[in-house]
Amino acid sequence: MAQNFSRYFFKRLLYVLITIYFILTFNFFLFRVMPADVEDILIPKGADEATKEALREYYGLDRSYLEQYVDYLGGFLHGELGKSISVRVGAEVTEVLAVYVPNTLLLVGFGTILAVFVGVVLGRETAWRRGKLADRIGSSFFIVFYCMPTFLFALVMLMLVTHYFPSWPARGTFSDDYYDLDLFGKIIDRIQYMLLPMFALVIETIAAFSIVTRSSLIDVLTEDYMVTAVAKGLRGRQVLRAHAMPNAMLPVVTTVAINVGWVLSGSIMIEIIFSYQGLGYLTWDAVWGQDYPVMQAVFMLETVAVLFANFIADMMLFKLDPRVKV
Amino acid sequence: MTSPLASLLSAERKEKLKLLIRDGRIFWSKYKHNRTGIAGLGILVFFVSMAFLAPLIGQYDELYPPNSLEWARVNPTLSAPSADHLFGTDLYGRDIFTLTMYGARASLIVGLMASAISIILGTGVGVAAGYLGKSWDELLMRVTDFFLVIPWLPLMIVFAMLMGKSFTNVIIVIGITSWPWTARIVRSQVLSVKEKAFVVRARCIGAGSFTIVRKHIMPNVLPLVFASTILLIANAIFSESFLEFLGLGGDMISWGNMLEAAYDGHAFESYAWWWILPPGLFIIVLIMAFYLVGEATDEILNPKLRRR
C-alpha cells in the first residue's frame, strides 16, 4: 500500500509538472503567434527610448526564439515573470503578485471551506429526507442558485446593500485605518469587508456541493448493505454517519477539486464588483492598462493552482477509495 | 408534375428531405408535450423577435452619447422609468428600453456564432480522435485535457487581450476556448459507433474513411452534438456578457456593455436600479430559456441519457 501510494504520488506529480511545462510553452508561443507584435505587448507604448532598450534587453527580443525560450523557462524557475507595464510601472511581476495573492487566498480559501461544510451538511440533510417537503424546497433552491450567474447575483446584491445599508463597507479590502488596528480589530475589519464578496462567491458553490452530496448519498442509501446495516439493528443516524457518508464522499472530493477552477473564475468577477484587491481585481487592472506580463502571470498562477487542486484530490481519492489503481 | 423546384432535387435528395420532415414532425409531437421546453421556446421566440424588431420598437434612435450640452438638455440623464422612457435613461441620457432591445442582438449573435465555431472545432477533433484512434487519439485527447484543465475565464481574458478589443474577437475567443467538452462527448460517441456492425460492413464493401464518417458516423453523433449545442449557446451568452462587462468587447451595444457602463457610471451609488436590472434580468432569462430548451431536446433526442 505505502509503496503503491508513493508510486501513484510521483506518477501524478510528474503529470502535473509536464502539464505546467506545456502551459509555460503555450504561454510563450501565445504571445509570439498572436497578431499583435511582441514588442507592442511587452513594452509600454509611451516609454522613452532608454527604457524600451532596457526592456528589449531584459526580454532578449533581439535574439532568436530558441534563446528567448530557454531564457524564459530559466527565468520562470528563478521567479522572473517579466516587468509590469501599468499596474506598478516597471516593478517585477512577482512583487505585484505578492500584494494581491494573499487577499485572494483568504477569500477563496475560507470560501471553499465554508462551501464544503455547508454544502455537505445541506446535501446530507436533504438526501436523508428525500421526497419530503424539506427536500423538495431545498433541492429547488439549490438548482436556482446553481443556475444563477455569479456576477449578476453579485451586482444586484451590491446594489441592494449600498442602498439599504449605506454604512456597511460593501466595497474594498479593508478600511483606511486598517494598519492602526490591533490584531483583533484587523480580523473584525477583514471579516466585515469579506462578508459580502464571500457570500456572493460561495452561494453557487454551496448549491453545487449540495447537489452532488445529495445525489451521491441517495445512490448509496439504496444499496443492499444499507439494508443490512438497518437489519443489524443500527439506528438511522448511525447508519448515515458510519456507513453512508464515507462512501458518498468520493464524488464530493472530485467536485471540490474541479470547483477550484470555477471558484477562481468566480472570484475574478466578484473581486471586480466589490473592488476587493485580489487576483481578480488585478486582472481588471491589467486588462484596463494592457498589462500583458501581469495578466500572463495571473493566468499561469491560476492554472497551476487548479492543477495542484486536482493533484491533491487525486491523492485523497487514492487514500479514500481502495479501488483506485496505480 | 415537375415543378422547377422539384426538378432541382434528385430522387435520393427528395427521399432524404421527406425523412427529415418526418423526423421533424415526430420531434415536434414529442416536444410540444414538454411544458418547460415550450416555455423556454416561447421566451426564445420573444427574444429573437425583439432582436429583429429593435429598430421598430425602440423609442429612440440615438444610441451613442453625443457628448454635447444640447443633448443633455433635451434628454434627461438618469431618469427613473416613465411614460417617455419605459425603462428610464442612463447617465448619458440614452433610452434604456431601446438599448436593451438592441442588446438582444449582440447576445444572440455571439451565442450562435461562438457555439458554431466551438461545435466545428469540437466535432472535428472528436471525430478525428475517435475514428483515427491510436496515437492520434492519444495526442488529440492530451490537447483536449490540457484545455479542459486551464481555468476558462482567465484563458478567455488572455486571448481577448492579445487579440484586441472587438466584437468579432469576443466571438472567436469564446469559440476557441469552449470546444473541449464537445470534443470529449463526440469522441466517446464515435468510439462506440465505430465498432458497430454497420460500420464494419460498410468498410468491408470498400467504403472510404470519408464516406463512413459522413454517412454512418456523423448521423449518430449529431443528435448528441445538437443537444450540447444549446447549452454551449447559453454558456457563450454568459461569457460574452462578462467579457463585455470587463471592457474587452467592441462598440456594439450589448447587455454586458450596459452593465459595464452602469458600473462605471456609479449606478449602484445612485441606486439607478433601472440601469442594472433590465440587462441583468434579460441575461438570466435568456440563459434560462436556452437551458430549458436544451433539457427538453436532450430528453427527446437522447432518451438513454435521461437523468433521474
Side-chain angles (χ1 to χ4, degrees), chain A residues 73-90:
Chain A
L73 289 181
F76 176 76
L77 291 178
H78 290 110
E80 286 167 21
L81 298 168
K83 289 209 192 286
S84 164
I85 291 177
S86 67
V87 178
R88 266 187 206 190
V89 183

Side-chain angles (χ1 to χ4, degrees), chain B residues 169-182:
Chain B
N169 285 348
V170 168
I171 296 176
I172 298 173
V173 165
I174 297 173
I176 56 177
T177 48
S178 60
W179 58 268
W181 274 115
T182 317

Side-chain angles (χ1 to χ4, degrees), chain A residues 15 19 22-23 26 30-31 34 36 41 147-152 155-156 158-160 162-164 171 215 218-219 261-262 265 268-269 272-275 283-284 286-288 290-292 295 299 302-303 306-307 310, chain B residues 142 145-147 149-155 157-159 161-165 176 235 238 241-242 245-248 256 259-260 263-264 266-269 271-274 276-277 279-281 283-284 287-288 291 308:
Chain A
Y15 174 74
T19 316
F22 273 117
I23 287 169
F26 175 73
L30 193 61
F31 277 60
M34 279 289 156
I41 291 173
C147 290
M148 183 122 60
T150 317
F151 91 99
L152 293 172
L155 280 175
V156 173
L158 177 64
M159 184 180 76
L160 293 177
T162 45
H163 185 65
Y164 289 106
R171 294 166 93 163
S215 67
I218 286 180
D219 266 352
W262 274 100
S265 294
I268 294 181
M269 309 179 195
I272 293 168
I273 290 166
F274 292 101
S275 310
T283 307
W284 167 266
V287 168
W288 275 102
Q290 305 271 308
D291 199 333
Y292 297 97
M295 190 56 227
F299 172 59
E302 288 179 330
T303 313
V306 170
L307 278 172
N310 285 333
Chain B
R142 283 283 153 269
D145 285 345
F146 176 71
F147 275 99
V149 88
I150 299 177
W152 58 280
L153 194 58
L155 179 68
I157 295 172
V158 167
F159 266 123
M161 267 179 86
L162 287 174
M163 290 172 69
K165 297 171 183 177
I176 56 177
N235 283 331
F238 175 67
S241 68
F242 188 71
F245 177 72
L246 259 182
L248 284 166
L259 286 174
E260 186 205 353
Y263 186 80
D264 292 343
H266 301 283
F268 298 97
E269 286 82 347
Y271 198 56
W273 54 267
W274 58 88
I276 299 161
L277 285 189
L281 282 182
I283 294 171
I284 296 181
I287 291 175
M288 288 272 263
Y291 272 116
R308 273 172 309 167

Side-chain angles (χ1 to χ4, degrees), chain B residues 245-256:
Chain B
F245 177 72
L246 259 182
L248 284 166
D251 287 332
M252 182 135 175
I253 297 152
S254 72
W255 295 332

Side-chain angles (χ1 to χ4, degrees), chain A residues 126-324:
Chain A
T126 45
W128 190 242
R129 295 171 175 75
R130 63 186 179 285
K132 300 209 177 105
L133 187 66
D135 173 39
R136 270 182 281 161
I137 295 174
S139 304
S140 36
F141 266 106
F142 298 158
I143 292 187
V144 168
F145 282 118
Y146 185 62
C147 290
M148 183 122 60
T150 317
F151 91 99
L152 293 172
F153 181 73
L155 280 175
V156 173
M157 218 169 81
L158 177 64
M159 184 180 76
L160 293 177
V161 170
T162 45
H163 185 65
Y164 289 106
F165 306 97
S167 58
W168 184 265
R171 294 166 93 163
T173 327
F174 40 72
S175 50
D176 297 335
D177 51 358
Y178 177 74
Y179 291 106
D180 302 333
L181 296 168
D182 56 349
L183 184 67
F184 184 68
K186 277 183 179 172
I187 294 174
I188 295 290
D189 193 58
R190 281 276 184 166
I191 290 177
Q192 277 187 348
Y193 277 89
M194 234 162 55
L195 210 60
L196 282 179
M198 187 171 294
F199 183 69
L201 184 65
V202 295
I203 196 85
E204 189 189 350
T205 339
I206 287 179
F209 293 159
S210 307
I211 292 173
V212 176
T213 312
R214 180 178 172 275
S215 67
S216 132
L217 189 57
I218 286 180
D219 266 352
V220 174
L221 286 175
T222 50
E223 295 277 353
D224 285 345
Y225 59 83
M226 295 310 298
V227 181
T228 316
V230 174
K232 208 162 74 172
L234 291 178
R235 273 181 299 122
R237 278 278 161 179
Q238 273 176 318
V239 176
L240 182 67
R241 206 174 38 242
H243 293 251
M245 281 312 278
N247 286 308
M249 286 313 284
L250 298 178
V252 179
V253 172
T254 329
T255 319
V256 171
I258 292 172
N259 252 282
V260 169
W262 274 100
V263 174
L264 274 176
S265 294
S267 78
I268 294 181
M269 309 179 195
I270 302 279
E271 285 174 8
I272 293 168
I273 290 166
F274 292 101
S275 310
Y276 184 87
Q277 308 252 330
L279 285 178
Y281 192 80
L282 183 61
T283 307
W284 167 266
D285 260 5
V287 168
W288 275 102
Q290 305 271 308
D291 199 333
Y292 297 97
V294 166
M295 190 56 227
Q296 192 184 25
V298 171
F299 172 59
M300 265 308 299
L301 200 65
E302 288 179 330
T303 313
V304 171
V306 170
L307 278 172
F308 270 97
N310 285 333
F311 175 69
I312 290 168
D314 279 342
M315 292 306 112
M316 280 174 72
L317 269 187
F318 188 85
K319 285 282 185 196
L320 287 174
D321 190 349
R323 285 168 298 184
V324 176

Side-chain angles (χ1 to χ4, degrees), chain A residues 86-103:
Chain A
S86 67
V87 178
R88 266 187 206 190
V89 183
E92 281 284 337
V93 169
T94 32
E95 287 171 30
V96 178
L97 286 179
V99 179
Y100 291 86
V101 169
N103 293 336

